[in-house]
Amino acid sequence: AEIAGVFTSPPTAQLQTQGGTQGTVTGEHCWSTDIADATRQVYEYGTYVNSGVNAGARYDLDNSSLALEANVTDNLGESLSRNIHAHASYYGTHVNDVDKSLVTDNTVFKNQRNSADTDSYNLRKNYYRIRQKSSTNTSLSTLDGVSFQWWMDWMKNDPELKAKIGSAGLEWPTSGACNVAEYNCPEYAGTIEVVAQTGGAARVTFRATHGMDWSQNIPPFELTLPLIFTSDDWAVMSDGNGRDEGITFFDPDSRNEYVIPYSAFAEARAGNVTNLSVKLTTDTYVDIDTLEGKTFLCIEQCLGSVNLNDALAEAFNKVDADASPATLEKTPYVNKGPYFKETFYYDNDGNGDQNGPETSEGAGRYNNVGGVLLADLSSYSVTNGILVAADGNIDWSTANKLKLDSGSYREGIKAFKYKSKEPTYTEDNWTNNYGHSFNMTVIESTDQNNIKCDTDSNGNSHGYSERFRSVATDQSLLTAGDSYFCARKLWEGDLTTYTFELTKRPEYRVYNVTQARIAPISAPKSYEYTVPNSGITYNFSNYQALAGKKYTLKFEGYGNLHNFPGKVLNTCTGETVGRYVDSWNQCYRFVHEFILPDGAVLTDKFGDDDIKVRALRGDEYLKKLTTSQFPTNRTYTKTFEDLPTSNDLVVVSTLIGEAPTTGIINNGETSVIHGEIIIGRL
């Protein structure tokens, strides 16, 4: 069936259709109403317990995300001029910029998603985001279906490894451009497959489906044919003399990091994929209140209270002065780290004096050990919800907060950069953009001994030499013995690290006033779905390649499932734009590759809470037909003048009485969705 129509003037701005806009839909146009032709997008699924005594019951996270509303009635003392809405999830709380000035620590919010939740909430301004990374060991067998994003450019820049990567065993591109023709990219993404082989061996297959180069602004693009290597192929990555290379990659679905040593691939070739030889690093967000009373140590790029506020204030001053983009002579970090802090030279002949070819090196150069002495470890503590350093709170000053809260400097400061070390240093002093945050990585002070640098056969920290000497005094600059604490130790072993981010825009913590505590919100759960060979609705062509693929979907509660593969659709033209776009367009919509069929079962990747789903809410875009596809024998007997005018409309409100003023449930908003009472307040 088709819908046909003739428009002699533009329709209203509410028109939502594939292939048409309010300015272009004039004349004769047709859209197919065949569901097979429509583009369908589901943005809320009903989730249900799959099995057991509660099979069929609605399922949600223990502490699901919150849909909060502050209304005028609940905030009579706050002079609230309009209702404010906020969305609070595990990843943070969103408030529209136009509403932020109306939110105070005392503004009362109510949860609109659960009629049983009668608690009151406040939003407390917060500038901290804290990520905790913890490492454990797992096996290759657990990597089946895991997504990977693998940066391998360093291998291509190593002559020995470059030859191995491009050898007959692997045959990955090591020359050419990062494009669909030559595939030579510094980074790839895809999935891993672990399959048992005849005779007991197992094969681990890395299948890269996308290439990318962020340094050249090349977002992920699909490879015409995937790049593949197996655990058998990886055998060439050993030189037989102790240099055995493994793989380190990031899983974008779970935000976990994996380190697979060469030995794990060798174990797979021998038939063992269950040894706990793979290092798994999980990445989670934590609230600062959970760290109360703890102390931390930082080795390099350690924030200082005075430094960070001076650096930000200088950027504000440049914006006020309408200065040109530049690198400012400021850094948020204290002058501590694994580098020399004065001009030095290497005493080649060992005579204790600079002469001949012994050239001077500037302050800021790497100190050859990669570590710092005990006195150079920066110490911090969490006290009353604030991170405290030796020189004060790691927090914005009152003056800086006022400007950050206004939002008016947000774009302006992006034109400037700050230095990673003492600004007067000219060597290896990298620059960073004034972007989202200042950050640093620390460990708990109880792990101090776990970051001691490795020692050589003489009992000195690796890299120690007395020949690194001061130009000014000729004194040796390094200390003998087991004296140094190394930055690389943060990424080795099973250490737990914390990355503190001091953000340059206010975020919010949800405070439960009724329970007098920060409201806990559950972390998303990971569910695996294997695309079936049939019985599924696809939105784009070439969908046959998706059958049999495994996808890890993130469930954030209240019907929110994320991480579907998809493409950007221009709903105004019907054009499929691609996986990524770099500009805003009101016609763009990210559309999933497929729609989960009602009754689809999602497998809990880390437990036994499998769930069933059914589509609840979404959009469908009708396909616009070309002229050759129009139905035949079309005749139109009506014209624009036949449409009813305002004189034809009947005012009916007086026939049913005055609008009620009392007893209105939920302010007239929807109160029940899918049989569940969303809100029941009068």
Side-chain angles (χ1 to χ4, degrees):
E2 285 80 25
I3 299 176
V6 177
F7 300 95
T8 57
S9 61
T12 69
Q14 297 301 313
L15 178 66
Q16 292 281 333
T17 178
Q18 182 181 149
T21 67
Q22 62 172 341
T24 62
V25 181
T26 59
E28 183 181 21
H29 298 269
C30 290
W31 286 264
S32 170
T33 56
D34 187 341
I35 191 172
D37 292 335
T39 300
R40 190 181 186 199
Q41 175 76 330
V42 175
Y43 47 78
E44 183 178 333
Y45 286 91
T47 51
Y48 310 88
V49 178
N50 180 51
S51 61
V53 295
N54 294 319
R58 287 298 297 269
Y59 174 82
D60 209 339
L61 300 179
D62 292 336
N63 297 290
S64 186
S65 54
L66 305 174
L68 298 172
E69 181 190 64
N71 61 49
V72 176
T73 303
D74 290 334
N75 290 275
L76 296 178
E78 284 290 293
S79 301
L80 199 63
S81 59
R82 62 175 182 270
N83 290 2
I84 300 173
H85 293 88
H87 177 76
S89 74
Y90 171 77
Y91 296 108
T93 301
H94 174 76
V95 178
N96 290 331
D97 285 346
V98 295
D99 293 330
K100 287 181 177 179
S101 62
L102 302 177
V103 178
T104 72
D105 285 353
N106 298 315
T107 304
V108 177
F109 285 83
K110 295 287 187 176
N111 182 13
Q112 301 300 298
R113 282 190 171 167
N114 187 351
S115 61
D117 183 2
T118 59
D119 292 352
S120 295
Y121 298 89
N122 295 153
L123 298 185
R124 305 286 175 88
K125 273 185 182 175
N126 173 50
Y127 296 91
Y128 291 121
R129 284 179 70 83
I130 307 168
R131 293 166 56 189
Q132 175 184 309
K133 287 189 174 183
S134 302
S135 298
T136 57
N137 290 326
T138 187
S139 66
L140 277 173
S141 60
T142 64
L143 270 57
D144 187 37
V146 168
S147 298
F148 70 84
Q149 193 163 317
W150 177 34
W151 186 77
M152 62 177 301
D153 195 46
W154 71 276
M155 289 186 172
K156 294 185 178 184
N157 290 321
D158 183 300
E160 181 181 346
L161 297 181
K162 179 178 180 179
K164 292 181 179 295
I165 293 169
S167 67
L170 293 177
E171 297 180 338
W172 278 46
T174 57
S175 63
C178 181
N179 56 35
V180 293
E182 298 177 289
Y183 283 20
N184 183 33
C185 299
E187 191 169 2
Y188 299 93
T191 56
I192 301 172
E193 182 181 59
V194 181
V195 179
Q197 302 293 304
T198 303
R203 177 169 293 160
V204 181
T205 301
F206 278 69
R207 180 175 285 101
T209 56
H210 292 76
M212 65 201 80
D213 187 352
W214 297 110
S215 67
Q216 300 299 318
N217 294 319
I218 301 175
F221 61 89
E222 190 168 358
L223 307 178
T224 306
L225 294 174
L227 290 171
I228 298 172
F229 73 83
T230 70
S231 47
D232 295 341
D233 300 329
W234 202 254
V236 302
M237 299 305 290
S238 172
D239 64 2
N241 295 312
R243 187 179 188 187
D244 301 333
E245 294 297 339
I247 292 176
T248 298
F249 69 88
F250 174 71
D251 175 5
D253 294 338
S254 64
R255 300 187 61 82
N256 294 334
E257 295 174 353
Y258 291 85
V259 178
I260 308 177
Y262 178 84
S263 59
F265 289 115
E267 290 167 1
R269 293 192 294 273
N272 192 339
V273 291
T274 59
N275 284 350
L276 302 179
S277 52
V278 178
K279 180 181 176 182
L280 165 63
T281 301
T282 58
D283 189 346
T284 57
Y285 288 102
V286 296
D287 189 88
I288 195 166
D289 282 355
T290 66
L291 306 177
E292 184 71 26
K294 292 182 180 292
T295 56
F296 301 93
L297 297 173
C298 173
I299 297 177
E300 61 181 345
Q301 293 193 331
C302 307
L303 293 172
S305 177
V306 175
N307 290 54
L308 65 89
N309 277 292
D310 283 352
L312 186 62
E314 181 67 5
F316 288 154
N317 291 338
K318 295 298 183 182
V319 174
D320 288 337
D322 199 23
S324 299
T327 297
L328 308 182
E329 295 299 309
K330 293 291 182 179
T331 180
Y333 302 117
V334 296
N335 190 21
K336 295 182 178 182
Y339 49 84
F340 291 115
K341 298 174 179 62
E342 60 180 286
T343 306
F344 71 97
Y345 68 95
Y346 185 78
D347 186 12
N348 284 299
D349 56 19
N351 67 353
D353 193 15
Q354 186 179 17
N355 51 58
E358 296 170 357
T359 58
S360 298
E361 300 279 354
R365 285 284 192 197
Y366 177 69
N367 68 6
N368 210 55
V369 172
V372 301
L373 297 171
L374 181 62
D376 272 348
L377 285 173
S378 296
S379 180
Y380 304 84
S381 62
V382 175
T383 305
N384 297 324
I386 296 292
L387 185 65
V388 182
D391 65 341
N393 295 341
I394 302 301
D395 195 10
W396 302 119
S397 66
T398 300
N400 282 341
K401 280 183 179 178
L402 288 173
K403 293 186 175 182
L404 288 173
D405 290 356
S406 73
S408 58
Y409 291 82
R410 187 174 300 162
E411 294 301 317
I413 62 174
K414 292 180 180 179
F416 303 98
K417 296 182 178 182
Y418 62 88
K419 295 190 174 182
S420 60
K421 297 174 184 174
E422 164 61 37
T424 59
Y425 294 167
T426 58
E427 303 293 338
D428 299 336
N429 202 351
W430 320 121
T431 60
N432 300 281
N433 293 316
Y434 277 91
H436 173 263
S437 64
F438 291 150
N439 62 78
M440 68 175 177
T441 298
V442 301
I443 61 165
E444 289 191 54
S445 57
T446 52
D447 280 328
Q448 175 178 312
N449 291 334
N450 294 325
I451 57 172
K452 291 293 288 291
C453 298
D454 295 331
T455 56
D456 58 23
S457 57
N458 296 317
N460 299 318
S461 297
H462 266 304
Y464 165 79
S465 173
E466 63 177 8
R467 297 193 179 192
F468 291 98
R469 297 183 178 276
S470 165
V471 167
T473 66
D474 288 320
Q475 296 298 308
S476 180
L477 293 177
L478 295 179
T479 301
D482 184 14
S483 307
Y484 287 88
F485 298 84
C486 274
R488 61 178 172 269
K489 287 292 183 177
L490 297 179
W491 323 119
E492 298 176 357
D494 297 332
L495 273 177
T496 295
T497 64
Y498 298 85
T499 298
F500 282 82
E501 296 182 56
L502 190 62
T503 62
K504 297 187 181 76
R505 66 172 65 185
E507 299 189 10
Y508 297 91
R509 303 162 76 202
V510 181
Y511 182 77
N512 187 314
V513 179
T514 307
Q515 300 181 20
R517 62 168 184 160
I518 295 296
I521 299 180
S522 299
K525 292 192 67 173
S526 295
Y527 287 94
E528 189 172 84
Y529 181 69
T530 302
V531 181
N533 293 322
S534 62
I536 192 164
T537 301
Y538 293 98
N539 283 318
F540 302 102
S541 60
N542 298 322
Y543 58 82
Q544 294 88 346
L546 299 180
K549 284 193 174 182
K550 293 180 180 179
Y551 291 95
T552 298
L553 304 179
K554 285 285 189 179
F555 178 55
E556 294 187 8
Y558 204 71
N560 294 318
L561 283 168
H562 300 287
N563 283 355
F564 285 93
K567 296 182 176 70
V568 176
L569 174 72
N570 186 325
T571 60
C572 296
T573 65
E575 174 193 7
T576 300
V577 181
R579 179 66 175 84
Y580 296 91
V581 294
D582 56 7
S583 61
W584 163 252
N585 186 318
Q586 65 178 357
C587 297
Y588 285 171
R589 298 292 185 274
F590 183 77
V591 176
H592 299 160
E593 290 275 5
F594 56 83
I595 305 302
L596 296 176
D598 288 349
V601 176
L602 308 185
T603 304
D604 187 347
K605 293 192 68 172
F606 303 103
D608 56 2
D609 294 331
D610 296 351
I611 58 175
K612 282 185 177 181
V613 300
R614 64 173 295 184
L616 290 187
R617 293 198 301 163
D619 296 315
E620 285 187 347
Y621 299 97
L622 301 182
K623 179 181 178 181
K624 188 172 186 291
L625 302 177
T626 63
T627 304
S628 63
Q629 296 172 314
F630 281 11
T632 58
N633 301 321
R634 303 181 310 280
T635 58
Y636 305 104
T637 59
K638 300 294 183 180
T639 65
F640 179 76
E641 286 70 24
D642 292 309
L643 294 174
T645 67
S646 58
N647 295 328
D648 297 311
L649 301 178
V650 178
V651 178
V652 296
S653 61
T654 57
L655 302 179
I656 58 175
E658 297 294 329
T661 57
T662 61
I664 302 173
I665 297 176
N666 193 24
N667 298 318
E669 301 293 331
T670 302
S671 299
V672 178
I673 296 179
H674 194 54
E676 179 177 334
I677 298 175
I678 304 304
I679 193 69
R681 296 186 296 115
L682 295 179

